[in-house]
Amino acid sequence: ESFGLAVIEALVVGTPVIITPGVPLAPLVSRFEVGWVPDMEHQAIVGSLTLALDAFDDTVGMAARRKRAAHLVRQHLTWERAAERIMMVYDAILAGRPLPTFGLDTIQRDTGM
C-alpha cells in the first residue's frame, strides 16, 4: 500500500518492520529506528532480514524498539492528529491563508526515547 497502514498496525503492537524506501513512512522508520529500510536490491533486503531476525535475540534492544514504535504511533500517527491537520487545512482555506504542509520529515524523534 502506498502510505503504509500495515506498517502503522505493525508498529503499534511493537513489531519491527522492513519496508522499501518508496513507502512514505520510510524516513520515520529510519529516524525512530523501529525497523529497516533497505535499498531495492537483493543483498540489501537479505541483509535487513538477517538483522531483523537477529534483533529478536536482543531482548533489551527489542524492548527499546517497541517503546520507540509505540511513541511514534501514539504521538504522531493517530486519527486525532490526522483530524487536527485536516481542520488546520479547512481553517486556512476559510481564512484565505496558504495551506499548511505536514511532511513526515517534520516529525522528530525525542532524544529521550
Side-chain angles (χ1 to χ4, degrees):
E1 63 187 284
S2 65
F3 180 70
L5 290 178
V7 173
I8 294 172
E9 291 169 347
L11 293 175
V12 79
V13 296
T15 302
V17 297
I18 299 173
I19 60 175
T20 62
V23 176
L25 290 172
L28 293 179
V29 168
S30 293
R31 189 174 309 126
F32 280 73
E33 299 178 46
V34 293
W36 297 266
V37 185
D39 290 330
M40 290 291 296
E41 55 187 49
H42 177 78
Q43 283 305 109
I45 294 169
V46 169
S48 289
L49 286 167
T50 301
L51 289 171
L53 291 171
D54 290 345
F56 283 96
D57 292 333
D58 176 11
T59 55
V60 173
M62 188 59 76
R65 186 175 283 112
R66 285 186 174 119
K67 183 178 178 180
R68 289 191 304 272
H71 173 77
L72 168 62
V73 173
R74 290 190 181 108
Q75 294 299 312
H76 303 289
L77 302 174
T78 64
W79 287 115
E80 290 80 12
R81 292 291 297 226
E84 289 171 9
R85 291 174 174 159
I86 290 170
M87 291 303 298
M88 290 173 71
V89 169
Y90 286 140
D91 288 343
I93 291 169
L94 292 173
R97 294 188 313 262
L99 297 178
T101 60
F102 304 108
L104 295 177
D105 57 335
T106 63
I107 297 175
Q108 297 300 312
R109 179 177 163 188
D110 272 341
T111 55
M113 289 275 39

